[in-house]
Amino acid sequence: MNGGESILYWTAALCTAVTFFLTIVSLVFKKTTLFTSARATIVAAFVLITIFGISRWIEWGHPPFVTLFESMITSIWFLLLMYLMVSYFSRKTVILLLPVSLAAMLLMGWSASLSSEGSPLSEALTNTWLFIHASFATAGASAFLIAASFSVLFLMGKDRMERMQTISAQVPDYSDLPRSILNFLLFGLVLWGVMIVSGSIWAHTAWGRYWAWDPIELWSLISWLLYGVVVHARLAFKLPLRVFCWLTIAAALTVAFSLWGVGYLYKTIHSYG
Amino acid sequence: MRFNPGSMKLAFSLLAILLVLMVLSAIIPQQGLADSQMIDWPSALGDKYAIIENLGLDRIYYTPTFFIVLGLMGINIAFGNIRRFRAIYKTEKSLLKLRHLGSVVFHLSLLLIMGAVILNYLYKYDGVYALTEGQSVSDRPEDYFREFKGPLYGEKYGSFDLKLDAINVKEDSTADQTVVANVTLQTSSDSEVRSGAISTNRPHKYQDIEFHYGQITGYSPELIVSDSARQKLFRGFVRLAARPSDDGIIHSDFINIPERNLRIELEVLPAEPMAGPVSYKVSVAAGMETLYDGDIITGESFQVDDLTISIPRLRRWCYIDVVRSPFLNLIFIGFWTGLTGLAAGVIGRTVNARGRKK
């Protein structure tokens, strides 16, 4: 990272931390006005990461998802974008600031431990499908993470949620949470599905085969099927809501493993950088 | 108790089995797939690894179990959805509402994909050539380095002759290489001789056949071994294996000359020989006794007893995969219609939920 990028990166990291802190303070001390500040800082983090990403794109000549560091930054960007879109359509999502800023902060921390050195994209991998594939992967993961965040809220229990509602009317109704979880799961299934299909088309042109059961391909499909099981279990069997929420969180872990964990355990052709 | 082939319980059991199989394949190294699993099970388990082999757990995606599970899932989806959509039709008198239509299309697409995957496996052909520049081959089993034929694959596609004209390797600013293999192709159904290029990131397509670059390129020096009467004991291009090592890729291999009980080992030096003068590390042994061990360059020869050994030329070789997947397009149609259905279902659900709220 050059000096300018460093400033953008660390200021964005600071903004996510401030958002988390402000949200906690506003909940604990019942200062609803702080929610507005928290929202402003998350918007600031989003803007800074956007500029950071554009700067990397210009510097290296490709969107930032070639190295693991870049993949994490893109994931954070999509997560914040997803949150901002959700909060635009529904004001009752302010509480999501807590898990979203926490996840963004943790990913920023993790990415800080990685080499931020960029890498040019080899000619063999330069393909429009790669951009579609990587974008939908991170967008799908964001949708699943939002679903998992709603699940955490549900698991906190009705009493706690009602207490929070006395602090701010922008906290969602406890009874609305299951539907929100299901909608984000379905949305994530579509995005993750496009990621798998576009990835196989890209693999065909880059590596000469559509599907080879490579560890990342395999774990992505496991995640997709697992979400399919969870959705059907809820819709067809009326799976108890608490079990449904726990399964949603567990499936989110497989998504995180597919995106960032596989490279640590397996030798894979998908390895970053 | 009546067996219901479309029950959700059966769907769950099958999905659970599928997930277990996939997780197992993520842990146990799979034959013929990337050597990418985290545990070297054969050496870790020793003799007990035979149990894994006997159960087919080292080739899960080629076992009858996998295809039976897929087939049963197809039957389950078909029966389950007929029952489900009949019930919806009875109450709502239409399946054309977006949320229902999306769901119908999505599940029918799953059925289409499963059917096409099974058909593709049954009719698939996948052969690999190992070709040196200038070498010609035909579409005959004995010409292939290895091949896989689906149980129902027929010869109806007609044969072809393929010649590898040249291999060009382009280095880019990353550590990766882009390899372009120029080929000449003639099919039995078409007398026209056509030229084509098979690239790292672009296969050459002809009718329903795809020629892919096989991801490995090596060196192939021409070796001539002749005796004092100038009789050739060996003349040919030796395809050197490309093995990764800590110092980069090592290109080396050996040949045996049984008439003289000789073993000749060759290694290309340095790592990128086509760029400049090419030298080789050569070792000649008769049994346990080393007769020669030294370096030579292209065009040179040396004597071992009454034998003259020379390397006049160096060429490249590469793998070329020949793939015939007759039902691949059907799989892709299934993928895209399925995703469209899923998206339509999600939109339909959202619109419906908003309508109910109002």
Side-chain angles (χ1 to χ4, degrees), chain A residues 120 122-124 182 186 190 197 201 204-208 210 212-213 215 218 221 229 233 236-237 265-267, chain B residues 8 12 15 22 25-26 33 36 38 61 170 172 174 176 200-202 210 212 215 328 332 335-336 342 346 349:
Chain A
S122 76
E123 197 182 318
L182 196 60
L186 288 169
V190 176
V197 177
I201 295 172
H204 177 250
T205 52
W207 301 319
Y210 289 95
W213 300 105
L218 183 60
L221 192 58
V229 168
F237 288 133
L265 286 178
Y266 295 85
K267 275 187 282 173
Chain B
M8 278 301 274
F12 263 73
L15 265 174
M22 287 172 68
S25 81
L33 301 177
S36 47
M38 53 186 152
Y61 302 110
K170 276 193 290 180
D172 58 24
T174 67
D176 293 336
T200 306
N201 54 354
R202 193 157 290 122
E210 284 188 355
H212 293 271
Q215 304 301 325
L328 201 61
F332 270 92
F335 267 134
W336 288 118
L342 189 57
V346 173
R349 270 183 64 86

Side-chain angles (χ1 to χ4, degrees), chain B residues 3-257:
Chain B
F3 173 69
N4 177 7
S7 77
M8 278 301 274
K9 278 182 186 163
L10 180 63
F12 263 73
S13 310
L14 292 169
L15 265 174
I17 294 170
L18 191 63
L19 274 171
V20 168
L21 288 175
M22 287 172 68
V23 171
L24 280 174
S25 81
I27 302 168
I28 302 168
Q30 297 294 296
Q31 276 182 29
L33 301 177
D35 57 341
S36 47
Q37 272 66 22
M38 53 186 152
I39 302 166
D40 181 6
W41 284 53
S43 40
L45 291 180
D47 293 343
K48 288 178 190 157
Y49 191 69
I51 300 169
I52 284 176
E53 286 179 313
N54 291 337
L55 289 173
L57 295 177
D58 61 339
R59 50 184 188 285
I60 284 169
Y61 302 110
Y62 301 99
T63 53
T65 315
F66 182 68
F67 285 95
I68 289 169
V69 171
L70 278 191
L72 286 175
M73 281 182 84
I75 293 168
N76 175 264
I77 289 173
F79 278 88
N81 280 283
I82 289 169
R83 202 178 57 161
R84 187 177 146 219
F85 294 121
R86 209 165 47 191
I88 292 172
Y89 188 77
K90 265 185 187 166
T91 52
E92 304 204 10
K93 298 291 172 214
S94 168
L95 285 178
L96 293 177
K97 286 180 180 166
L98 199 55
R99 66 182 194 282
H100 297 320
L101 191 64
S103 185
V104 172
V105 170
F106 175 69
H107 286 94
L108 284 179
S109 302
L110 281 184
L111 215 55
L112 181 68
I113 292 167
M114 282 176 198
V117 164
I118 292 171
L119 284 172
N120 204 53
Y121 170 77
L122 294 174
Y123 287 95
K124 185 181 174 163
Y125 182 85
D126 192 347
V128 180
Y129 289 123
L131 288 182
T132 299
E133 286 170 310
Q135 191 181 352
S136 296
V137 281
S138 294
D139 185 22
R140 289 185 307 236
E142 60 268 29
D143 280 4
Y144 284 101
F145 175 68
R146 65 168 181 265
E147 63 171 353
F148 167 78
K149 277 182 189 174
L152 298 180
Y153 175 79
E155 304 295 335
K156 64 175 180 174
Y157 298 100
S159 57
F160 56 82
D161 296 311
L162 181 76
K163 184 184 174 205
L164 176 61
D165 298 315
I167 298 172
N168 297 307
V169 179
K170 276 193 290 180
E171 299 281 348
D172 58 24
S173 53
T174 67
D176 293 336
Q177 294 176 331
T178 302
V179 175
V180 181
N182 295 312
V183 293
T184 309
L185 181 70
Q186 185 173 24
T187 62
S188 55
S189 60
D190 182 0
S191 57
E192 189 191 342
V193 177
R194 56 185 70 238
S195 299
I198 303 165
S199 162
T200 306
N201 54 354
R202 193 157 290 122
H204 179 68
K205 290 185 185 179
Y206 179 73
Q207 293 177 349
D208 64 337
I209 312 169
E210 284 188 355
F211 298 89
H212 293 271
Y213 168 63
Q215 304 301 325
I216 291 177
T217 302
Y219 298 103
S220 196
E222 188 182 21
L223 183 72
I224 301 174
V225 182
S226 48
D227 60 16
S228 51
R230 293 197 173 175
Q231 193 178 343
K232 304 259 183 312
L233 297 177
F234 181 89
R235 179 174 191 168
F237 288 92
V238 182
R239 257 196 313 267
L240 304 184
R243 298 186 192 89
S245 77
D246 291 341
D247 302 325
I249 292 175
I250 293 173
H251 299 271
S252 66
D253 224 320
F254 66 91
I255 61 152
N256 290 316
I257 299 180

Side-chain angles (χ1 to χ4, degrees), chain A residues 100-121:
Chain A
V100 165
S101 62
L102 177 64
M105 201 167 67
L106 291 174
L107 284 174
M108 286 294 255
W110 188 355
S111 66
S113 71
L114 302 167
S115 165
S116 62
E117 191 58 34
S119 164
L121 198 57

Side-chain angles (χ1 to χ4, degrees), chain A residues 94-171:
Chain A
V94 74
I95 197 72
L96 274 183
L97 275 174
L98 202 61
V100 165
S101 62
L102 177 64
M105 201 167 67
L106 291 174
L107 284 174
M108 286 294 255
W110 188 355
S111 66
S113 71
L114 302 167
S115 165
S116 62
E117 191 58 34
S119 164
L121 198 57
S122 76
E123 197 182 318
L125 301 184
T126 309
N127 187 305
T128 315
W129 285 107
L130 171 65
F131 305 150
I132 297 170
H133 171 63
S135 306
F136 276 84
T138 41
S142 306
F144 289 139
L145 198 61
I146 299 266
S149 304
F150 277 124
S151 299
V152 172
L153 292 178
F154 187 86
L155 290 171
M156 283 166 63
K158 194 175 180 182
D159 292 348
R160 275 209 190 91
M161 285 295 288
E162 282 175 351
R163 271 206 301 276
M164 281 196 277
Q165 272 192 315
T166 59
I167 301 167
S168 169
Q170 292 181 27
V171 171

Side-chain angles (χ1 to χ4, degrees), chain A residues 63-266:
Chain A
F65 45 61
V66 173
T67 64
L68 185 55
F69 171 81
E70 290 176 345
S71 162
M72 283 190 177
I73 296 298
T74 309
S75 301
I76 296 165
W77 186 82
F78 266 106
L79 178 64
L80 298 186
L81 176 70
M82 190 77 74
Y83 169 73
L84 293 176
M85 282 166 64
V86 170
S87 63
Y88 177 79
F89 287 111
S90 168
R91 300 297 291 173
K92 287 199 160 201
T93 50
V94 74
I95 197 72
L96 274 183
L97 275 174
L98 202 61
V100 165
S101 62
L102 177 64
M105 201 167 67
L106 291 174
L107 284 174
M108 286 294 255
W110 188 355
S111 66
S113 71
L114 302 167
S115 165
S116 62
E117 191 58 34
S119 164
L121 198 57
S122 76
E123 197 182 318
L125 301 184
T126 309
N127 187 305
T128 315
W129 285 107
L130 171 65
F131 305 150
I132 297 170
H133 171 63
S135 306
F136 276 84
T138 41
S142 306
F144 289 139
L145 198 61
I146 299 266
S149 304
F150 277 124
S151 299
V152 172
L153 292 178
F154 187 86
L155 290 171
M156 283 166 63
K158 194 175 180 182
D159 292 348
R160 275 209 190 91
M161 285 295 288
E162 282 175 351
R163 271 206 301 276
M164 281 196 277
Q165 272 192 315
T166 59
I167 301 167
S168 169
Q170 292 181 27
V171 171
D173 296 334
Y174 184 73
S175 57
D176 283 345
L177 287 173
R179 202 178 57 233
S180 300
I181 297 167
L182 196 60
N183 285 343
F184 274 97
L185 287 191
L186 288 169
F187 187 43
L189 270 175
V190 176
L191 299 176
W192 203 251
V194 174
M195 179 275 281
I196 290 173
V197 177
S198 58
S200 71
I201 295 172
W202 167 51
H204 177 250
T205 52
W207 301 319
R209 84 290 181 286
Y210 289 95
W211 192 264
W213 300 105
D214 177 80
I216 287 193
E217 293 171 355
L218 183 60
W219 279 102
S220 304
L221 192 58
I222 288 174
S223 306
W224 197 76
L225 284 176
L226 197 54
Y227 276 113
V229 168
V230 173
V231 166
H232 280 82
R234 176 65 200 143
L235 289 175
F237 288 133
K238 302 292 171 215
L239 188 74
L241 283 169
R242 290 187 72 82
V243 181
F244 172 59
C245 290
W246 278 115
L247 283 175
T248 302
I249 294 166
L253 295 178
T254 66
V255 167
F257 180 68
S258 305
L259 272 184
W260 308 303
V262 170
Y264 286 100
L265 286 178
Y266 295 85

